Amino acid sequence: MAGGGAAARGLARVGARGHARGWGRPLGPEETLGLLEASVVHREGALLALSKPPGLPVLGHPGELSLAALLPALRRRLGLPAELHVVKAPARECSGLVLLSSCHRATEQLQRFFADARRSGQYPTTYRAVTVGVPAEAEGEIRTGLRWQRQGDTAVVVPVSAPGRRSLARKEVKSTLTRYRVLGAAGGCALLQLQPRTAFPEQLPVHLTLLLCPALGDHQHSPRVGRVLGVPFLLPPEAAPARTQELHEELLSRLGLSPQQLRRLPLHLHLQQLALPQGPLTAPPPPPFLRTLQRLGLPGHQEP
């Protein structure tokens, strides 16, 4: 089961105008609704799948534009008889597959399927990421504990290299695992395939910083990767608060960005594929992601 080519082309046409928070101005409700309608990649029975843009939250804060707030209008546009709810979706800053259902029983079955797949050692979700830096090994695993830590007025996710049994038992720390593979590299950047075995907020961006290869557009965790004479090293979270990602002048030029535009650069982390009982469901990366691949000379930019 694969994403529909016509729907993907529709996403490309609509997405070329921008995203909920992408290269240019934020989109309003009507434009975002049109983007979501054009991005449907699968529709069968109670299930509907679409590819959301980066920066669009699933739930969001009161008064904030979100996927959940747009679902009733999307249902009416698509002529669906029942209300939709979210089964699986990437985080706010990520793009990619959103699996929706109009049947609570089907939702429960799918959620059990995902949980059983992880317990049996499978990887039901596959992401693509563009990274600033190339991992030392072409493929491998990132294993670490993750926990929330207060940093000023906010809470941030930080790695715990050797979590104790007590902290794991009390669920203060979660043991996490991501499998990665380098799909291509050019000009000091890379295209990675990421398959998380566990689910924790911001797991993938944090794991990429541990590889010393933060995701392009990661303005939260990338400051933790410092450089001395061009050699990357890891800074403690308290020494590297969130700020606009720093890119060298040559990379900015290749991306066609000015330093002022950099803060609007979206996170290049895309939920590409979900394993379902019927077979895999896929969606192409959004147009800004594909343009980045083309500008950097990385594989995959000719996807529909």
Side-chain angles (χ1 to χ4, degrees):
M1 178 172 59
R9 288 190 291 274
L11 169 62
R13 288 193 297 271
V14 180
R17 299 200 301 265
H19 285 312
R21 198 177 80 188
W23 296 95
R25 62 179 178 81
L27 298 186
E30 281 301 314
E31 289 175 301
T32 304
L33 189 60
L35 173 61
L36 294 175
E37 183 181 10
S39 73
V40 171
V41 295
H42 179 76
R43 182 175 176 177
E44 182 180 0
L47 296 182
L48 178 75
L50 54 83
S51 189
K52 92 169 184 68
L56 179 67
V58 174
L59 296 177
H61 306 296
E64 184 180 29
L65 182 66
S66 68
L67 177 65
L70 293 172
L71 284 183
L74 180 64
R75 177 178 71 88
R76 290 191 296 271
R77 281 203 182 194
L78 295 175
L80 300 176
E83 292 184 2
L84 293 167
H85 53 270
V86 178
V87 181
K88 194 84 173 169
R92 171 196 293 257
E93 299 302 335
C94 301
S95 62
L97 277 168
V98 175
L99 186 60
L100 303 167
S101 171
S102 59
C103 173
H104 287 284
R105 183 178 178 185
T107 298
E108 291 172 358
Q109 291 174 340
L110 284 169
Q111 289 173 340
R112 282 198 300 272
F113 171 79
F114 291 132
D116 291 344
R118 286 196 172 95
R119 278 195 294 267
S120 62
Q122 299 175 47
Y123 296 79
T125 57
T126 300
Y127 285 76
R128 294 278 178 93
V130 177
T131 62
V132 181
V134 182
E137 302 292 335
E139 57 184 294
E141 293 182 342
I142 308 129
R143 295 175 180 266
T144 188
L146 291 179
R147 67 180 175 89
W148 288 98
Q149 175 179 291
R150 295 297 302 179
Q151 187 170 308
D153 296 331
T154 61
V156 297
V157 178
V158 299
V160 181
S161 57
R165 292 182 182 177
R166 190 172 298 178
S167 62
L168 290 170
R170 291 198 298 255
K171 297 185 178 180
E172 298 169 349
V173 178
K174 180 171 181 175
S175 181
T176 60
L177 168 65
T178 299
R179 183 168 65 184
Y180 76 88
R181 183 161 65 93
V182 177
L183 302 177
C189 294
L191 175 65
L192 267 59
Q193 175 181 284
L194 302 171
Q195 294 179 301
R197 257 278 293 283
T198 52
F200 194 89
E202 303 175 33
Q203 173 177 322
L204 295 180
V206 173
H207 281 188
L208 289 174
T209 65
L210 295 177
L211 282 179
L212 301 177
C213 300
L216 183 66
D218 181 359
H219 307 297
Q220 176 69 36
H221 304 284
S222 64
R224 299 180 192 176
V225 179
R227 289 183 179 273
V228 173
L229 299 177
V231 179
F233 67 96
L234 197 64
L235 288 162
E238 57 271 15
R243 64 176 184 274
T244 301
Q245 187 176 33
E246 294 183 4
L247 301 179
H248 57 76
E249 190 174 330
E250 181 184 349
L251 181 52
L252 281 174
S253 176
R254 291 173 65 191
L255 292 171
L257 293 174
S258 69
Q260 293 74 29
Q261 293 171 317
L262 184 55
R263 63 183 178 84
R264 297 198 299 271
L265 182 68
L267 181 67
H268 282 56
L269 184 56
H270 175 75
L271 177 50
Q272 175 99 357
Q273 181 172 287
L274 285 173
L276 298 182
Q278 310 94 305
L281 179 66
T282 63
F289 195 115
L290 295 176
R291 286 198 298 272
T292 293
L293 296 181
Q294 184 175 27
R295 287 168 173 165
L296 296 180
L298 292 170
H301 64 269
Q302 295 178 334
E303 296 188 34

